[in-house]
Amino acid sequence: GAAITNLLDGMFRMVKNGLDDCDAGFANYGPLSCERTDGETSSSLGALGYTNESGSHQDVLDDLAITLTANRLDKAKRDLILVSTANDFLF
């Protein structure tokens, strides 16, 4: 019920805005002001992130496929994702 909803809401807010106490976040204290734009984590106590050591587009897709689909993403869909995100994957 309500406990599950509060847990999921807190997790969503932590992923989106980092660890703080704004909007019923998980931290016991946080920034002096909770005014911010979505995704801004500069005033939070911590934030989640992802780093791929190899820098390979294929390795990033492999990591996401394991995390989001338990590696059930077939080759045709992997190829489609690689082609459609190629221009966004520039360092």
Side-chain angles (χ1 to χ4, degrees), residues 7-50:
L7 174 66
L8 291 174
D9 187 51
M11 290 173 60
F12 174 76
R13 291 183 189 286
M14 185 169 67
V15 168
K16 187 174 182 182
N17 296 319
L19 180 64
D20 62 22
D21 67 344
C22 296
D23 304 316
F26 288 133
N28 291 328
Y29 59 91
L32 298 175
S33 171
C34 289
E35 293 182 29
R36 63 172 173 247
T37 58
D38 284 343
E40 181 184 340
T41 60
S42 61
S43 62
S44 68
L45 300 171
L48 299 174
Y50 168 81

Side-chain angles (χ1 to χ4, degrees), residues 59-80:
D59 288 347
V60 171
L61 179 59
D62 290 344
D63 288 350
L64 290 173
I66 289 170
T67 304
L68 300 175
T69 69
N71 214 23
R72 294 181 302 238
L73 197 60
D74 63 43
K75 181 165 176 20
K77 289 182 180 143
R78 281 178 187 262
D79 292 343
L80 178 65

